[in-house]
Amino acid sequence: MSEAPTPSQPPLDAAFAEAARLQQQGDFAQAAEAYGRLAAKALTVNIAVNLGLCLTECGRFSEAEPWLTLAASHRPQAIEIRRLLGVLYSEMGDVERAEQQYRAGLQVAPDDGPLRLALAGLLLSVGRYREGWPLLEARVALHPDVVPPIDVGFPEWRGEDLAGRAILVWYEQGLGDQIQFARFAQGLKAAGAGHVALGCRPALAALLATAPGVDEVVPVARGETVAIRDYDVWSRYFSLAGHLGVTLETVPGAPYLSAAAGRRERWRGFEGVGLVWRASPTGFNARNKNVPDDLARRLLDRGALSLHPEDTGAADFADTAAMVEQLDLVISIDTSVAHLAGAMGKPCWTLIPRLHADWRWLRDRDDSPWYPSMRLYRQAEPGDWAPLIARLEQDLDARRG
């Protein structure tokens, strides 16, 4: 195996640049084809790595493994290759080998953020919460775009005594994440907090105000700077579970959100089944989560109602909660409305993609300790939603008797 092509090889360089462009655009199938042609001409470590990555993203795991293992054999100290092998084995369901790769990389670079975050996701996906929560802190430095910094004069809470103290939970991640972790306001109160304030996006403010244990919400619009009054301590949503000592067995699963009283009358008349099939294009794993419109239409034709705000006219999640409250069932991909339905205790069938399934849904189970009213439908093959939609149709028919 040679090293990467040099500038003295312009045709090869141009072909590599084109393959890289396709990869960056998310066209992994075409990129894999392009890298494959390059590998047949003059194989390099970089080509092997990128070919393995693209094949992984196409769900062609058995084809990806030889390329990544070959690259690792030539660069055993390369932590990025270890991480990619870990991702591959995780997708294959081989948790033991995935963990071995991540830990091998961490032996070389113990503080590497991407490796720590990848290992966190793996451990959390198998319910090893005590080990996973501390590693999840790597997200803060890695993703300031979705884990915004906070500049205040009071200290970060790291699990010490909260008796009588006021705590601000600073917003992070997506809307569904904030909905999911708002449940821990009750845990903060049980730990002695005298005042719990939740920072959140404005679309969540009226909804999260209904959560037990929440004394105050602090709406923060995207790109906006807000003045923060003094609290005793602050934390972030995803840090709460670790500091509260939450394990798989102690996740609080009781419903904790409800429709605001003032919204119910406005949205009278919703009934039956609600449907969400598209994720935010900027959200995590949106490419793999979305159900094609033609498949979603099959459920809509059976009477399901779209819960997308552009179809309902909802101004915020309090509006959507008033609709969900009246429905018999919500069917949703892994997005914020699924978290909303689960947090309200509403029956919810949640569609989980085969590729990059989020750690919170664990592995190989159709229920969720986070949301006891939820049933998980897992995609069998990457990108193939048709069999799952057919199963949903059958289950809807059976449900209607």
Side-chain angles (χ1 to χ4, degrees), residues 263 267 307-321 323:
R263 305 297 181 98
W267 296 101
L307 290 178
H308 289 284
E310 59 269 29
D311 296 324
T312 64
D316 62 10
F317 276 82
D319 281 347
T320 303
M323 302 172 201

Side-chain angles (χ1 to χ4, degrees), residues 110-132:
D111 296 324
D112 183 77
L115 276 172
R116 291 176 67 84
L117 194 57
L119 180 56
L122 181 75
L123 296 174
L124 293 170
S125 77
V126 293
R128 292 162 62 180
Y129 283 1
R130 289 193 187 278
E131 298 171 80

Side-chain angles (χ1 to χ4, degrees), residues 145-148 171-181 199-201 204 208 222 237-238 280 282-284 289 317 335-336 339 360:
D145 53 331
V146 293
V147 189
Y171 75 100
E172 66 166 304
Q173 309 291 333
L175 301 175
D177 303 302
Q178 293 168 48
I179 290 172
Q180 180 185 6
F181 279 77
C200 65
R201 292 302 190 196
L204 291 175
L208 296 189
R222 191 175 300 277
Y237 281 87
F238 273 24
S280 166
T282 60
F284 167 73
K289 289 180 180 180
F317 276 82
T335 191
S336 53
H339 289 282
R360 74 197 76 208

Side-chain angles (χ1 to χ4, degrees), residues 4-327:
T6 66
S8 62
Q9 300 170 298
L12 194 57
D13 285 348
F16 186 91
E18 173 61 14
R21 184 188 68 79
L22 291 167
Q23 180 179 337
Q24 290 166 358
Q25 290 180 343
D27 190 347
F28 294 109
Q30 290 297 317
E33 295 270 338
Y35 284 126
R37 290 192 294 270
L38 285 168
K41 294 178 181 177
L43 182 59
T44 72
V45 172
N46 287 343
I47 290 172
V49 168
N50 285 289
L51 178 53
L53 184 157
C54 289
L55 289 169
T56 299
E57 291 297 324
C58 292
R60 295 158 63 182
F61 306 134
S62 62
E63 297 174 64
E65 184 178 11
W67 296 108
L68 291 177
T69 53
L70 180 62
S73 70
H74 282 263
R75 292 185 184 167
Q77 300 299 304
I79 59 175
E80 176 62 11
I81 299 176
R82 294 293 180 187
R83 187 184 68 80
L84 291 174
L85 265 171
V87 170
L88 170 64
Y89 290 136
S90 177
E91 294 295 339
M92 294 172 68
D94 193 334
V95 173
E96 182 178 355
R97 282 206 290 176
E99 183 174 357
Q100 288 172 352
Q101 291 298 326
Y102 292 146
R103 293 198 184 279
L106 288 170
Q107 285 182 346
V108 176
D111 296 324
D112 183 77
L115 276 172
R116 291 176 67 84
L117 194 57
L119 180 56
L122 181 75
L123 296 174
L124 293 170
S125 77
V126 293
R128 292 162 62 180
Y129 283 1
R130 289 193 187 278
E131 298 171 80
W133 297 132
L135 292 165
L136 194 61
E137 294 302 303
R139 76 195 187 282
V140 176
L142 286 177
H143 299 295
D145 53 331
V146 293
V147 189
I150 178 173
D151 184 13
V152 291
F154 45 94
E156 183 177 358
W157 180 61
R158 301 185 183 277
E160 63 274 11
D161 184 19
L162 273 178
R165 306 176 85 185
I167 180 170
L168 168 67
V169 182
W170 194 234
Y171 75 100
E172 66 166 304
Q173 309 291 333
L175 301 175
D177 303 302
Q178 293 168 48
I179 290 172
Q180 180 185 6
F181 279 77
R183 76 186 67 215
F184 292 120
Q186 297 175 81
L188 294 172
K189 279 298 183 72
H195 184 93
V196 176
L198 298 184
C200 65
R201 292 302 190 196
L204 291 175
L207 172 70
L208 296 189
T210 71
V214 174
D215 298 298
E216 177 188 4
V217 293
V218 182
V220 184
R222 191 175 300 277
E224 180 182 78
T225 300
V226 298
I228 302 296
R229 71 171 181 83
D230 280 342
Y231 298 84
D232 294 303
V233 290
W234 67 273
S235 187
R236 293 184 173 89
Y237 281 87
F238 273 24
S239 299
L240 298 178
H243 294 331
L244 290 170
V246 174
T247 66
L248 185 62
E249 296 72 29
T250 63
V251 171
Y256 55 95
L257 292 179
S258 59
R263 305 297 181 98
R264 291 189 175 103
E265 197 58 41
R266 186 188 309 176
W267 296 101
R268 291 287 179 201
F270 275 77
E271 60 181 21
V273 178
L275 177 66
V276 175
W277 68 96
R278 294 188 303 268
S280 166
T282 60
F284 167 73
N285 205 28
R287 181 177 67 91
N288 293 307
K289 289 180 180 180
N290 290 338
V291 173
D293 287 347
D294 61 322
L295 293 178
R297 172 54 56 188
R298 286 164 47 178
L299 301 179
L300 294 169
D301 288 344
R302 287 173 172 262
L305 304 172
S306 170
L307 290 178
H308 289 284
E310 59 269 29
D311 296 324
T312 64
D316 62 10
F317 276 82
D319 281 347
T320 303
M323 302 172 201
V324 167
E325 184 178 70
Q326 302 173 69
L327 295 172

